[in-house]
Amino acid sequence: MSTDVTIAAVAAARRPAVPRWVTLVVIWALLIAAPYWLPLLGGYTALAGRVLVFGLAAMGLNLLLGFTGVLSFGHAAYFGLGAYGAGLTLRYLVHSTPLAMLAGTLLGGLAGTLFGLLIVRRRGVYFAMCTIAFGQLWYYLAYSWNDFTGGFDGLRDFHREPIGFGPLTLDISEGGTRFYFFLLAIFAVAVTLLGLLVRSPFGHTLRAIRENERRARFLAIPVERQIWLSFSISCFFTALAGTLYALLNNFADPLALHYSLSGYFVVMCVMGGMRTFWGPLLGATVFVMLQDYISSMTVNWMSFVGTIFVLVVLFFPRGLLGLRRQRGET
């Protein structure tokens, strides 16, 4: 009798406090209604768009950081390449938003895929330093190539184009609520694919590598190949977020390639809960909101955000979303 009670208690402890479907309903309800409730709190629709863009970039990085256990400080390179790829396509090649997004995603994703082959055997600080160095190469290239990229002033003179669906046309050129829902649709598709990937057998092998790489090798898991695939896929998602960043601002600048932005992505993952699926989105929401609010009052906004980050790490080591999951991980 006591054994049955113990088993029931353990099962109850491991059961999520809130059913997963309730969490999903709340998240998507908040995202869909953001253009309507955010202005009541002093926000604006473009700010909600920034949350989606940076949330997607952080969730892409989290596939590598949170689920594979490999730290990259250079993901801004692929984010920036996605932004520049989309901007350059719109400015020099073709006035098509879908083709610009495709070009930017391929540019950033393929760059990460090829670079991943070179560093896949590195671990720890060596892996992180290699990613920083690679990212800075692209930053200085964009910074110095004035005639092509606009240099430090950034790439201008392009804008998002309406999207045609046969006789129908989706006009996103004016921004506002219509463009936000376009961003939300892309975000939803990307997050769905990412969720299926995380819960697939491939996602479980990534968790095995994260928990114990040596044991994963004993289980005949091709560790280097799985880490390379995780890195590559992560770069594609981050590059897609970069294309949305360029469309959101009608602008791409070298700071989108700088390693400091990579650090912001890591902060978003850790702050929200890097071993949870939705944690990076929560971290991006907190980070973007704080940045927008505090920077309107002082140029030293990062000091306040840094202080909050330190407090979160000290008192909530699992991140903000990890508070509801003291046992187990997604």
Side-chain angles (χ1 to χ4, degrees):
M1 179 67 178
S2 60
T3 303
D4 295 338
V5 172
T6 303
I7 294 175
V10 172
R14 291 187 175 182
R15 193 178 302 123
V18 179
R20 181 172 295 170
W21 70 268
V22 175
T23 302
L24 291 176
V25 168
V26 171
I27 290 173
W28 288 109
L30 289 173
L31 291 177
I32 292 172
Y36 307 105
W37 62 260
L38 193 57
L40 300 178
L41 301 179
Y44 46 95
T45 305
L47 184 64
R50 284 175 58 85
V51 168
L52 292 180
V53 170
F54 286 110
L56 178 58
M59 293 176 77
L61 170 62
N62 198 51
L63 178 68
L64 183 69
L65 176 61
F67 290 97
T68 313
V70 178
L71 174 62
S72 169
F73 269 120
H75 259 53
Y78 318 109
F79 183 85
L81 285 174
Y84 272 97
L88 292 171
T89 300
L90 286 170
R91 180 175 179 180
Y92 294 113
L93 296 180
V94 59
H95 297 300
S96 171
T97 297
L99 289 180
M101 293 175 59
L102 177 62
T105 303
L106 289 177
L107 178 62
L110 291 177
T113 299
L114 296 176
F115 179 65
L117 289 172
L118 302 178
I119 63 170
V120 70
R121 295 184 181 276
R122 305 280 77 80
R123 294 293 183 273
V125 67
Y126 303 103
F127 186 96
M129 294 302 293
C130 286
T131 58
I132 291 176
F134 183 71
Q136 289 304 98
L137 289 176
W138 290 106
Y139 168 75
Y140 284 109
L141 177 63
Y143 181 89
S144 59
W145 200 351
N146 291 290
D147 294 336
F148 189 58
T149 65
F152 184 76
D153 293 329
L155 182 66
R156 305 173 185 271
D157 299 329
F158 71 88
H159 52 86
R160 51 185 177 267
E161 299 287 341
I163 302 175
F165 300 95
L168 303 177
T169 300
L170 176 62
D171 188 4
I172 58 174
S173 58
E174 297 300 325
T177 303
R178 185 176 300 177
F179 180 64
Y180 171 80
F181 284 116
F182 169 76
L183 291 178
L184 184 60
I186 301 299
F187 176 84
V189 173
V191 166
T192 300
L193 293 175
L194 192 58
L196 293 174
L197 188 67
V198 165
R199 290 172 175 80
S200 69
F202 172 71
H204 289 291
T205 63
L206 297 184
R207 289 188 184 86
I209 294 170
R210 178 193 69 191
E211 297 301 328
N212 194 317
E213 183 177 326
R214 180 176 295 181
R215 184 174 296 176
R217 292 184 187 276
F218 289 156
L219 294 173
I221 295 176
V223 172
E224 276 76 23
R225 188 182 70 182
Q226 299 299 85
I227 292 177
W228 172 65
L229 287 174
S230 175
F231 185 83
S232 173
I233 296 170
S234 174
C235 291
F236 272 99
F237 279 103
T238 306
L240 174 61
T243 66
L244 300 179
Y245 177 79
L247 295 178
L248 177 65
N249 300 300
N250 287 325
F251 176 71
D253 64 296
L255 293 179
L257 294 155
H258 198 263
Y259 70 88
S260 60
L261 183 59
S262 300
Y264 295 163
F265 292 154
V266 174
V267 168
M268 294 172 193
C269 292
V270 175
M271 185 181 294
M274 64 181 182
R275 292 197 174 188
T276 63
F277 184 75
W278 294 104
L281 177 61
L282 176 60
T285 303
V286 174
F287 186 93
V288 171
M289 295 291 187
L290 287 176
Q291 179 188 23
D292 183 76
Y293 179 73
I294 299 176
S295 63
S296 65
M297 298 184 295
T298 174
V299 295
N300 299 317
W301 63 271
M302 195 58 200
S303 300
F304 294 91
V305 175
T307 301
I308 295 172
F309 174 69
V310 171
L311 293 175
V312 169
V313 171
L314 288 177
F315 296 102
F316 313 113
R318 287 178 176 266
L320 297 174
L321 197 61
L323 289 174
R324 72 180 190 88
R325 281 187 175 240
Q326 296 299 324
R327 297 173 181 270
E329 296 147 6
T330 57

